[in-house]
Amino acid sequence: QEQLVESGGGLVQPGGSLRLSCAASRSILRFPAMGWYRQAPGKQRELVVIITSDGSTTYLDSVKGRFTISRDNAKNTVYLQMNSLKPEDTAVYYCNGGTYRSIWRGTMDYWGKGTLVTVSS
């Protein structure tokens, strides 16, 4: 069974940084694309960034220049480095893998538990 475990969240002050990790139970090379999503209280889940198997990335406009996605295929892990965090970045962050289309649409059946990021002074 697929398993994706997100970690690295926590409480951080505005302007601070966090690095999230997403560890997969099997090789992430089988995914044509992977993505980080977030869901703020009372809001729908949104795609933050997508990375394809060839390393191409697409970011949500509001995080461009602040967030960076990377992947370590040997460790079956995808990371999200978040800098210059803002209160509006507060959300539960999730990762997932699939086809480019499924990641773009967020239509996967399986979702991990996510990791909570709270940006507050």
Side-chain angles (χ1 to χ4, degrees), residues 10-85:
L11 173 64
V12 63
Q13 292 186 341
S17 299
L18 283 174
R19 189 176 82 152
L20 306 184
S21 298
C22 170
S25 56
R26 297 184 291 156
S27 173
I28 62 174
L29 289 172
R30 71 191 188 284
F31 294 128
M34 295 197 72
W36 279 98
Y37 301 79
R38 67 186 180 187
Q39 186 167 19
K43 295 187 177 181
Q44 290 189 332
R45 186 169 52 215
E46 63 179 353
L47 177 62
V48 175
V49 57
I50 182 170
I51 185 169
T52 63
S53 56
D54 65 0
S56 298
T57 57
T58 303
Y59 290 88
L60 183 69
D61 283 347
S62 61
V63 308
K64 285 181 180 177
R66 300 188 298 120
F67 290 11
T68 304
I69 189 172
S70 61
R71 55 192 294 168
D72 186 332
N73 295 329
K75 295 183 178 180
N76 297 325
T77 301
V78 177
Y79 303 98
L80 184 65
Q81 178 67 42
M82 306 187 297
N83 300 326
S84 302
L85 282 162

